[in-house]
Amino acid sequence: MKRIDDKIKEIEKKDKRYQWAYYIIVAMLVGFLYYVSTTRKQMDLQADQIDVLTIKATETYKDLKKSDSINKKLYDDLKNSLQPEQYWNHIEKANSVEDYIEYLTNIWGIKRDSLDMNSAISNIKNSSSIGESGWLYVGNETENGPYVQPTKGQIAKIIWRRGLEKVGQIASIEDTKPKENDIIKMVKSTNRITYRRANFNSTKNKEGWRPSSKAFVSEVKKNDAEVWVKIRYY
């Protein structure tokens, strides 16, 4: 996926250059308009000689507008340039937790083969894939009671479950108890500690789970009433 990311960054960089050019031109025009308004009597100019239509008629403005549509087309062409097999080859070669999660959640909108999805799930569980592993406390569930969020507030929500990828389907379960092979996203704004085992007395992992990032649930376990999930994260 680095090739895709590099090309997108290049497009965004060009877009930012055009934006800065636009801002500079607008600032210059505003300054000129102010100068004209304060010296109009001396210069004997009419107020309607310089207006929005005049600005829009300039070649520079036209070029800036054209660049917006070009960048959008380049982005769309890039997104659609990879065939499903090529896309999977990129993911498998990278062999990282982050790339497998992106593949499963399908952020690029590229068709995926069900066998490749099986491989992604299998590979992400394998410790050889690049990423972190650890246990995370996510809520409570008594023997006769429903699953509830931690008393200090929700830690993560479900953002992907296989078979529930249609619009609106995941929304109905996002706050429920995670299942194996789910993908979750942190909702807390601070880094979360993960543990070597499913209890708070276990050894803490050196690298915690970062805010706003995603994680793959490889196992679910209960420790008395506490619900713990083993996650692969980045």
Side-chain angles (χ1 to χ4, degrees), residues 88-132:
W88 171 245
N89 288 339
H90 278 289
I91 297 297
E92 194 168 37
K93 185 176 181 181
N95 193 37
S96 73
V97 170
E98 183 175 7
D99 284 300
Y100 286 130
I101 287 175
E102 288 183 353
Y103 181 79
L104 290 171
T105 55
N106 200 19
I107 65 167
W108 292 99
I110 300 174
K111 184 178 179 181
R112 300 154 301 165
D113 184 276
S114 61
L115 293 178
D116 291 336
M117 291 179 70
N118 292 341
S119 296
I121 291 171
S122 177
N123 293 348
I124 202 172
K125 289 182 175 182
N126 194 316
S127 59
S128 65
S129 58
I130 301 169
E132 307 293 334

Side-chain angles (χ1 to χ4, degrees), residues 16-34:
K16 286 179 181 177
R17 286 203 295 268
Y18 281 120
Q19 287 178 356
W20 276 111
Y22 177 76
Y23 296 149
I24 291 170
I25 290 168
V26 170
M28 291 173 65
L29 286 169
V30 169
F32 181 66
L33 288 171
Y34 176 77

Side-chain angles (χ1 to χ4, degrees), residues 56 59 67:
K56 289 185 176 181
E59 290 301 318
S67 72

Side-chain angles (χ1 to χ4, degrees), residues 23-68:
Y23 296 149
I24 291 170
I25 290 168
V26 170
M28 291 173 65
L29 286 169
V30 169
F32 181 66
L33 288 171
Y34 176 77
Y35 174 76
V36 169
S37 67
T38 56
T39 60
R40 186 168 58 183
K41 288 182 180 180
Q42 291 83 355
M43 298 178 67
D44 195 28
L45 293 175
Q46 295 298 321
D48 60 353
Q49 283 183 294
I50 300 175
D51 55 18
V52 175
L53 293 176
T54 305
I55 295 171
K56 289 185 176 181
T58 64
E59 290 301 318
T60 303
Y61 183 89
K62 292 176 182 178
D63 288 342
L64 290 170
K65 291 294 290 181
K66 184 179 179 182
S67 72
D68 290 341

